[in-house]
């Protein structure tokens, strides 16, 4: 019951933060145009994991989505041989892209591929003035949560998932979610995440292309 309640709170936080971000001044069409140029000019890029393994990613786009497919060799990427992993991104909305679907072949899991692909997408979005953002907590898989947890534990509105994943509790996050002991919980959460988004925008040069 407690997990369910926390998940509802997390989902509400996610919705409100997205609405807040949507008020930013930018043009999604411009961001899509810059991303299309990036995909066209350099469709294949090297992908090196934290463990030092080298893979290759082929970027592509259609009217419906952007796609990142992972290949074992550069030749495989060029000829479009069987991919060992992929990540599909929903069309941009309010300058934000979200993962629609992602998968890595079982034999290549635990190699750091998913994290490295997310890093690449984040870098691409930074270059074009957009932002990679997690999906709603209600639709996030355990695998996705584990990747985002490692990437940015500051996204506290996903913290309820740790109960079913066996993650170690963190007192500072429990404090944010404990409405019975803390007043102004939402204001604290929004202020923290707003500051985080502001730092992200300043770092990537929000609204401009960074090369």
């Amino acid at each position: 019951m407690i997990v369910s309640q926390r998940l509802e709170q997390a989902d509400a936080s996610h919705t409100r933060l997205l609405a807040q971000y949507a008020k930013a001044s930018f043009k999604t069409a411009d961001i899509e145009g810059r991303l299309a140029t990036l995909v066209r000019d350099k469709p294949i890029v090297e992908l090196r994991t934290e463990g030092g393994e080298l893979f290759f990613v082929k970027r592509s786009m259609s009217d419906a989505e952007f796609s990142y497919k992972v290949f074992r060799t550069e030749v495989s990427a060029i000829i479009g041989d069987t991919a060992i992993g992929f990540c599909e991104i929903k069309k941009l909305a309010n300058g934000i892209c979200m993962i629609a679907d992602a998968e890595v072949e079982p034999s290549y899991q635990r190699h750091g591929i998913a994290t490295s692909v997310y890093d690449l997408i984040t870098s691409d979005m930074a270059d074009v003035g957009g932002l990679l953002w997690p999906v709603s907590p209600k639709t996030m898989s355990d695998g996705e949560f584990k990747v985002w947890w490692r990437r940015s534990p500051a996204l506290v509105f996903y913290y309820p998932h740790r109960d079913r994943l066996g993650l170690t509790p963190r007192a500072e996050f429990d404090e944010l979610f404990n409405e019975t002991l803390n007043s102004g919980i939402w204001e604290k959460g929004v202020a923290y995440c707003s500051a985080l988004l502001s730092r992200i925008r300043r770092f990537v040069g929000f609204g401009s292309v960074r090369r």
Side-chain angles (χ1 to χ4, degrees):
M1 185 65 175
I2 294 177
V3 175
S4 177
Q5 290 175 344
R6 286 186 170 181
L7 192 56
E8 291 293 336
Q9 294 170 3
D11 191 61
S13 296
H14 179 270
T15 299
R16 295 177 70 172
L17 284 169
L18 280 179
Q20 182 182 44
Y21 186 85
K23 296 178 181 178
S25 176
F26 56 82
K27 295 181 179 180
T28 296
D30 293 343
I31 297 174
E32 286 188 343
R34 291 193 288 267
L35 187 57
T37 299
L38 179 67
V39 170
R40 183 193 66 229
D41 291 348
K42 195 172 183 181
I44 297 175
V45 295
E46 292 185 359
L47 183 77
R48 192 172 292 278
T49 67
E50 288 186 0
E53 292 184 82
L54 179 63
F55 299 93
F56 292 85
V57 174
K58 186 173 184 177
R59 303 180 179 113
S60 62
M61 64 181 299
S62 66
D63 292 338
E65 62 189 15
F66 298 97
S67 176
Y68 289 69
K69 292 184 179 180
V70 184
F71 297 87
R72 191 67 188 89
T73 67
E74 186 173 13
V75 173
S76 296
I78 292 173
I79 66 177
D81 201 359
T82 303
I84 63 172
F86 70 89
C87 185
E88 296 174 351
I89 300 174
K90 297 178 181 178
K91 292 292 284 186
L92 293 170
N94 297 319
I96 297 173
C97 75
M98 293 185 181
I99 306 299
D101 194 11
E103 185 177 337
V104 176
E105 289 292 325
S107 59
Y108 287 97
Q109 292 177 4
R110 299 184 179 277
H111 286 246
I113 293 175
T115 298
S116 297
V117 171
Y118 277 35
D119 287 341
L120 173 61
I121 298 171
T122 299
S123 176
D124 285 352
M125 292 303 295
D127 283 343
V128 301
L131 180 67
L132 174 63
W133 195 250
V135 296
S136 163
K138 287 186 175 181
T139 59
M140 179 176 282
S141 68
D142 288 359
E144 287 177 300
F145 174 74
K146 288 176 180 177
V147 171
W148 279 101
W149 178 266
R150 289 192 294 268
R151 287 177 56 80
S152 184
L155 296 172
V156 296
F157 39 86
Y158 294 110
Y159 192 54
H161 285 265
R162 59 93 172 160
D163 292 282
R164 61 191 174 93
L165 293 174
L167 297 172
T168 303
R170 294 184 60 170
E172 67 272 29
F173 290 174
D174 275 334
E175 181 179 353
L176 284 173
F177 278 98
N178 193 338
E179 290 184 313
T180 61
L181 296 179
N182 296 276
S183 59
I185 175 176
W186 167 247
E187 287 75 10
K188 292 179 183 178
V190 168
Y192 186 89
C193 291
S194 295
L196 176 64
L197 287 175
S198 295
R199 289 196 295 273
I200 291 173
R201 292 193 188 103
R202 288 197 297 271
F203 176 75
V204 303
F206 187 76
S208 62
V209 179
R210 181 173 61 84
R211 298 293 182 193

